[in-house]
Amino acid sequence: MTATHTPQNRRTLGSLSVSPLSLGGNVFGWTADEAESFAVLDAYVAGGGNFIDTADVYSAWVPGNKGGESETVLGNWLSSRGNRSDVVIATKVGAHPDYKGLSAGTIKSAVDSSLARLRTDYIDLYYTHYDDESVEVGEFLTALDDLVRAGKVREIAASNISAQRLEESLAFSAREGLARYVALQPHYNLVSRDTYEGELADVAARHGVAAIPYYALASGFLTGKYRPDAPTESARSGAAAKHLATDRGLRVLQALDTVATAHDAEPATVALAWLAARPTVAAPIASARTVAQLPALLALGDLTLSDVEMTLLNEASA
C-alpha cells in the first residue's frame, strides 16, 4: 500500500492545510536520537506528510533531560533541510518545568523559548497543553491572541480541556473578537473512546473545532504487536500491554485483524483509519521511532473502511 498524502486529501485547520497523519514528535530526543529522528522526518515528508506535533515539555520525563529536547531536534532538522514553509509545526505550552501553567507571562516567555529551540520565527499551531483552571480563560486567550497578532503564532488550539472550559473559551473568543481555538487534542483511540466521545466531542462538533487525537495507537497496543502469548518489551510496553487484560482489548485486536486481513493492511493502519473516519477528527497523531514503522502510519491516507467494517470496530470497542 503506497501512501498518498497529497494536497487533495489534506484537512483544514483554520488557515492551515494538514496531511491526514500528524507525526508525533515525543520520541525525538528520547527513544530516537537526532540521526534517527532526522531519518523519520525525512521519510515522513517524502511520503507526503506535512504536520508535525511536539511540545515544549518533550522529553523532560527522561533522566538527564530538562524539556525542549524534541523541539531542539526538530529545529535542527528544519534548519538543515531549509523546508520551514513546507511543514506545519504544532507545539504546546503549559507543562515545561520552567513554564508551568497558562498565565499570560508564562505563555509569552514560553513561546520565545520554543521559537528559539525550533529555530523559526513562527509556530503554525500553538496548543495550551493542559488547562489551568487557576487562570481565567480571558487571560490566556488574550495572551494567545497577542501572539497571533505579533505573527509568532498562526492558529491556536487546546489539549486536555473539559467540555465546559472549551465552550467557555470559544464563547470568550467570539465575544471579544480574539483568536479562537481551531483544534482540540484529546486522548482518543479504539480502546479509549469515553475520553473524547460525548460532551467534549459534542462541543467540538457544534463549534467546528477539529480533533487531533493523541495516543491514537494506545501506546503501540493498536499496532497489533502486543499479543497474549507474545509479550514485548519497549519503553511503552507497560501502557500497551494493560489492554491485553481486558475483554475489550482482545475484541479490538480480533476486529483489527479481520479488517486488516481484508485489506492486506497493518492493524495500525486500520486503527488510524477508524479514528480518521470518526466525527470531527481531522488527523490522528502517531509517532515512529524508526523509518520502518512509518509506512503503516502513512498508509492511513489510502485506506477507506466500509460501513460494515466501521460497525465491526465500533461494536468491538464499545
Side-chain angles (χ1 to χ4, degrees), residues 16-182:
L16 309 174
S17 177
V18 302
S19 52
L21 172 78
S22 178
L23 182 65
N26 59 316
V27 296
F28 304 150
W30 175 26
T31 55
D33 63 20
E34 184 160 287
E36 291 171 320
S37 300
F38 278 26
V40 167
L41 286 159
D42 287 341
Y44 170 70
V45 171
N50 80 328
F51 188 19
I52 302 164
D53 182 87
T54 187
D56 63 355
V57 72
Y58 299 164
S59 46
W61 57 85
V62 178
N65 285 5
K66 56 185 180 181
E69 289 78 16
S70 174
E71 288 183 333
T72 298
V73 169
L74 187 50
N76 291 344
W77 176 76
L78 291 170
S79 178
S80 67
R81 301 304 187 257
N83 62 349
R84 177 65 187 92
S85 61
D86 298 329
V87 292
V88 175
I89 301 297
T91 192
K92 309 177 190 76
V93 61
H96 189 285
D98 295 336
Y99 304 107
K100 282 191 174 292
L102 297 178
S103 71
T106 295
I107 289 172
K108 292 185 176 183
S109 297
V111 75
D112 288 337
S113 292
S114 285
L115 289 168
R117 286 188 293 264
L118 289 165
R119 300 173 70 173
T120 183
D121 56 3
Y122 68 96
I123 292 162
D124 296 291
L125 187 64
Y126 201 39
Y127 288 93
T128 49
H129 201 159
Y130 297 91
D131 189 19
D132 178 358
E133 295 194 4
S134 71
V135 179
E136 295 291 334
V137 298
E139 178 176 344
F140 60 75
L141 286 169
T142 300
L144 292 168
D145 182 75
D146 288 344
L147 299 183
V148 173
R149 293 176 188 274
K152 294 182 177 183
V153 168
R154 292 178 66 191
E155 299 285 358
I156 63 170
S159 180
N160 302 296
I161 191 171
S162 69
Q164 179 183 350
R165 285 274 282 189
L166 178 60
E167 184 87 63
E168 187 182 348
S169 297
L170 293 166
F172 185 88
S173 291
R175 186 170 65 247
E176 302 299 325
L178 303 180
R180 74 187 291 272
Y181 288 142
V182 300

Side-chain angles (χ1 to χ4, degrees), residues 207-222:
H207 293 281
V209 175
I212 316 292
Y214 69 87
Y215 289 157
L217 293 174
S219 298
F221 175 73
L222 298 173

Side-chain angles (χ1 to χ4, degrees), residues 4-16:
T4 52
H5 281 219
T6 59
Q8 287 76 20
N9 64 3
R10 289 199 170 157
R11 282 79 164 138
T12 300
L13 306 177
S15 61
L16 309 174

